[in-house]
Amino acid sequence: PQAKLIFIISLFLGTTITISSNHWVMAWTGLEINTLAILPLISKSHHPRAVEAATKYFLVQATASTLVLFSSMTNAWYTGQWDITQLTHSTSSLILTAAISMKLGLAPFHFWFPEVLQGSPLTTGLLLSTVMKFPPITLLFMTSQSLNPSLLTVLAILSVAMGGWMGLNQTQTRKIMAFSSIAHLGWMTIILVYYPKLTLLNFYLYAMMTAAVFLTLNSMKVLKLSTLMTAWTKAPSLSTILLLTLLSLAGLPPLTGFLPKWLIIQELTKQDMAPAAMIISLLSLLGLFFYLRLAYCATITLPPHTTNHMKQWHINKPISPSIAVLTTLSIMLLPISPMLATLV
């Protein structure tokens, strides 16, 4: 327990260092602390797949961190500036875009993410999908003035497409959540240059909804779709919660997940990027398909009556307050969207 506490504290320390730094080397240090703190949490189970996931994660993050350092050094070499907001050299900003895409798992650098998430426990998967994405996104937010808009648009559309297509015939819930994360990152990236605060709002809402889904899956002990199909008799209330949160992640109108998509499409049309808005909206239908599939498996499919495994009955364990709060937020925030819009 002491070791775990140290890792969690280091994780939050690394995140805090990165998001509060002005100097590139401090930001890089925070990213490194973050990477090293999450590795033991990934490989905790000593299963070969967990060790493989930790190795892949380490190699990808080390490469990306090296590229971050390289781009900032090149920029300092040309401009004499180590300040994060002063990234004015064009080659440096290109290298940084590639490095941060690699850190986040944006297409075409997304291949490591589903594999790593599949090898990690659900709670570590939640950290990888939310907390670990925050420092790179803040770096993008701080350098958004000097990034290349057309490159980011291409990366974003690719991410939404890959996240949708590759999630279609997955049966593992963690891999589905990984592809959903890649698709959501696409939405965050496309608006980054035009309205950076919307990127952050989208990230906060995404982190909240993903946390609700991961915690629900964790308390139901669901790792694949076939387990999810038999979960209805075991925990009907949790399955209902999962249905609503998944539909919110998909971005269906009365729920919270619709808010960032709506604001992003509105902003894109203001920027004369209606074709990009149309393409990204159509591609998000692919994501809607696999969310609906998950929701269908969770609530509508009943297992056949001639099952050869023991029937699992109700668990009288109360729903944890964190799941209750997160789900309520993931479903009901749309009416206060004017207030959120004025805040950003």
Side-chain angles (χ1 to χ4, degrees), residues 147-197:
L147 299 175
N148 183 343
S150 44
L151 173 67
L152 285 177
T153 309
V154 170
L155 287 179
I157 289 175
L158 254 178
S159 296
V160 180
M162 297 308 287
W165 269 314
M166 294 177 75
L168 284 181
N169 45 356
Q170 296 295 334
T171 55
Q172 304 286 336
T173 48
R174 284 169 295 185
K175 276 199 172 172
I176 291 178
M177 291 312 293
F179 288 119
S180 123
S181 178
I182 293 166
H184 275 274
L185 281 169
W187 280 90
M188 290 172 219
T189 315
I190 199 164
I191 201 65
L192 182 74
V193 178
Y194 307 105
Y195 199 161
K197 287 182 177 174

Side-chain angles (χ1 to χ4, degrees), residues 208-229:
M208 198 173 65
M209 295 183 288
T210 306
V213 172
F214 267 109
L215 291 173
T216 312
L217 291 174
N218 190 39
S219 59
M220 287 161 74
K221 302 279 178 285
V222 170
L223 293 178
K224 49 184 190 291
L225 285 186
S226 54
T227 326
L228 195 59
M229 287 182 181

Side-chain angles (χ1 to χ4, degrees), residues 1-8 41:
Q2 278 80 15
K4 198 170 183 183
L5 183 68
I6 290 170
F7 296 143
I8 298 286
L41 298 176

Side-chain angles (χ1 to χ4, degrees), residues 38-167:
I38 195 96
L39 284 173
L41 298 176
I42 298 175
S43 58
K44 193 173 61 181
S45 63
H46 299 300
H47 187 278
R49 184 169 281 164
V51 177
E52 181 191 345
T55 314
K56 281 181 182 170
Y57 186 75
F58 174 72
L59 290 173
V60 171
Q61 297 295 321
T63 313
S65 294
T66 314
L67 280 176
V68 168
L69 207 53
F70 178 55
S71 81
S72 54
M73 280 169 71
T74 315
N75 187 60
W77 179 267
Y78 276 95
T79 61
Q81 285 283 352
W82 277 104
D83 197 295
I84 293 181
T85 49
Q86 304 293 323
L87 189 80
T88 46
H89 189 242
S90 56
T91 316
S92 296
S93 65
L94 281 177
I95 298 172
L96 182 84
T97 310
I100 301 285
S101 316
M102 209 181 277
K103 272 207 166 293
L104 287 172
L106 267 173
F109 307 103
H110 63 282
F111 291 101
W112 62 274
F113 189 53
E115 302 297 326
V116 169
L117 217 60
Q118 183 56 29
S120 323
L122 278 167
T123 41
T124 311
L126 169 60
L127 287 176
L128 281 171
S129 304
T130 54
V131 180
M132 300 301 288
K133 299 278 169 86
F134 190 42
I137 280 185
T138 50
L139 285 181
L140 277 183
F141 178 77
M142 286 192 274
T143 55
S144 61
Q145 308 309 317
S146 47
L147 299 175
N148 183 343
S150 44
L151 173 67
L152 285 177
T153 309
V154 170
L155 287 179
I157 289 175
L158 254 178
S159 296
V160 180
M162 297 308 287
W165 269 314
M166 294 177 75

